[in-house]
Amino acid sequence: MASRCWPSDAELNELRERVSKIGDLNKEEVRVVVSPYRICPLGAHIDHQGGIVSAMTINMGVLLGFAPSGSNQVVIRSGQFEGEVKFRVDEIQKPKDKNLDKDSSELQEQCNWGRYARGAVYALKSSGNILSKGIIGYICGSEGLDSSGLSSSAATKDYKLIYQPKVLEYNESGQPKATRILLALSGLKQALTNNPGYNKRVVECREAAQILLEASGDYTTEPILSNVDPEVYDTHKHKLEPNLAKRAEHYFSENMRVMKGVEAWAMGNLKDFGMLITASGRSSIQNYECGCEPLIQLYEILLRAPGVLGARFSGAGFRGCCLAFVEADLATEAASFVRREYLKVQPELASQISKDTAVLICESGDCARVI
């Protein structure tokens, strides 16, 4: 299976053309920010507790073509969302006030997605940067993935890179020679902030941490599960009521799966890596108790698909998307299988997704960069 180059020369050329037309510029003046989407194969629901996660970029993402505006004005248009964002870099930016009058100038803006650009300016200024010039830009994402539920932990306290061995080092060991990543969309697009399940789980994890810490005589440490030693958990977990016990069990078992998964990846043991991903998905359902019928059905279908090594929910697991690692030479067959079987169990949701983007085949990508 041939690798898909992203971004392609055609995508870059089209982006530069659009920016040059918006600002009446030469294409040579336009630069492009390449920001790949991320997935999190292991580490579900533990980042907010200080847990470790595994993450990787894929060869799909968001592109921002831009050039200096020649003034303090920012002008940005989108390939996915309507409206034009306009504001000045010398305007005072501040976090959104929930009590803001609906007739205010900010909410009169043609599109709410402009808050992300304003937020970027706010963050830069808050870090001590002095901004005097704006940009003219055009932003677009890979087709089919906006509002899909694909997301990944953005935890960045510290990190290290884990390289997978070259194929020649392990292709005689019975392991797959190469893998691809399947992104299977459920058609659910409910916003995370509208689902009380996520916030409730965070609170439950903190409650479990507080009980465990206090049981060990610690009344001062911040109550997050990463501050609870595994020995303390093993000694006092019987004091947790059933729901809190499940949340804590998910945290500690998932943290262990991440460590084992990183080792398996580094050794080229993709079968074990896949089994850990599947176990992560099962714990998300049984212990963290996230997901819903369509997502759980999609997860189970992926596990039956040819060549799939492991699967789980992507993102928070309350909407959207599942991911799977699959043997590269069976990826197309697996994708067809998943589309066909999901249509049988969720015909209404499946019919809302384009056949071309219902199950996407991708592979690990490069880092964010400017070209």
Side-chain angles (χ1 to χ4, degrees):
M1 182 185 298
S3 298
R4 176 184 180 272
C5 177
W6 180 83
S8 67
D9 289 342
E11 288 172 308
L12 292 172
N13 187 60
E14 180 183 356
L15 197 62
R16 291 185 173 112
E17 287 276 6
R18 288 183 179 274
V19 176
S20 66
K21 288 180 180 178
I22 294 171
D24 192 22
L25 306 164
N26 293 324
K27 286 199 304 181
E28 291 73 20
E29 298 178 62
V30 179
R31 302 190 70 186
V32 178
V33 176
V34 179
S35 181
Y37 295 135
R38 300 184 313 271
I39 60 169
C40 186
L42 291 165
H45 311 293
I46 62 174
D47 54 349
H48 55 75
Q49 295 299 300
I52 56 176
V53 302
S54 67
M56 65 172 60
T57 62
I58 61 174
N59 60 336
M60 297 179 180
V62 176
L63 302 175
L64 169 65
F66 74 97
S69 65
S71 70
N72 59 8
Q73 191 81 12
V74 173
V75 180
I76 306 177
R77 295 177 188 171
S78 168
Q80 272 77 29
F81 303 104
E82 295 182 357
E84 183 178 78
V85 175
K86 278 188 176 182
F87 63 93
R88 301 189 318 274
V89 294
D90 60 353
E91 290 178 21
I92 297 176
Q93 306 295 338
K94 55 186 178 180
K96 178 187 173 185
D97 185 349
K98 293 181 179 179
N99 299 316
L100 197 65
D101 184 354
K102 290 185 178 180
D103 293 329
S104 71
S105 60
E106 181 179 352
L107 290 187
Q108 286 178 344
E109 195 172 74
Q110 299 177 53
C111 44
N112 288 333
W113 62 270
R115 293 175 186 155
Y116 288 92
R118 292 177 179 273
V121 170
Y122 173 79
L124 287 167
K125 286 186 172 181
S126 298
S127 299
N129 294 283
I130 298 174
L131 306 181
S132 60
K133 291 187 178 181
I135 63 168
I136 295 169
Y138 185 88
I139 190 168
C140 60
S142 296
E143 183 180 358
L145 285 175
D146 54 295
S147 302
S148 67
L150 176 69
S151 58
S152 162
S153 169
T156 58
K157 184 167 64 173
D158 54 63
Y159 70 93
K160 66 177 179 179
L161 300 177
I162 309 296
Y163 295 95
Q164 186 181 13
K166 295 179 180 178
V167 171
L168 291 178
E169 295 177 8
Y170 64 87
N171 63 2
E172 300 300 327
S173 65
Q175 297 292 330
K177 292 183 179 180
T179 59
R180 295 292 183 266
I181 301 158
L182 297 184
L183 302 178
L185 278 58
S186 70
L188 292 169
K189 294 189 177 183
Q190 181 182 4
L192 179 64
T193 53
N194 293 336
N195 193 315
Y198 177 82
N199 291 332
K200 183 179 179 182
R201 298 298 185 276
V202 175
V203 170
E204 289 170 337
C205 288
R206 293 182 68 91
E207 289 177 356
Q210 185 166 357
I211 291 170
L212 292 167
L213 286 167
E214 291 181 358
S216 69
D218 186 344
Y219 293 85
T220 60
T221 299
E222 182 186 5
I224 57 175
L225 287 168
S226 62
N227 287 334
V228 178
D229 289 336
E231 295 79 9
V232 169
Y233 167 66
D234 288 336
T235 301
H236 299 290
K237 63 183 179 182
H238 66 278
K239 297 179 180 179
L240 299 173
E241 58 95 359
N243 277 350
L244 301 189
K246 289 181 180 179
R247 309 303 178 252
E249 168 61 25
H250 175 75
Y251 171 84
F252 285 100
S253 63
E254 185 72 356
N255 221 39
M256 183 60 67
R257 280 187 287 272
V258 175
M259 291 187 281
K260 290 181 178 180
V262 166
E263 182 180 349
W265 181 265
M267 295 292 292
N269 192 338
L270 300 180
K271 290 183 178 179
D272 282 359
F273 186 72
M275 286 190 290
L276 288 164
I277 293 172
T278 298
S280 171
R282 189 67 64 191
S283 183
S284 291
I285 296 168
Q286 296 176 347
N287 292 322
Y288 204 75
E289 295 183 293
C290 69
C292 55
E293 183 180 54
L295 271 181
I296 293 171
Q297 290 172 329
L298 191 53
Y299 165 76
E300 299 289 356
I301 289 169
L302 280 163
L303 294 180
R304 303 199 319 266
V308 165
L309 303 169
R312 79 166 188 89
F313 303 151
S314 183
F318 290 96
R319 65 172 176 130
C321 183
C322 289
L323 66 85
F325 278 69
V326 61
E327 295 181 37
D329 56 356
L330 293 173
T332 300
E333 183 182 350
S336 297
F337 175 88
V338 174
R339 279 192 294 266
R340 184 171 63 251
E341 294 300 307
Y342 187 63
L343 181 61
K344 292 177 183 178
V345 297
Q346 291 290 342
E348 185 175 346
L349 284 173
S351 66
Q352 298 173 17
I353 313 169
S354 166
K355 183 179 178 181
D356 294 336
T357 58
V359 183
L360 297 167
I361 302 172
C362 56
E363 54 192 288
S364 58
D366 207 340
C367 59
R369 58 204 183 276
V370 179
I371 56 177

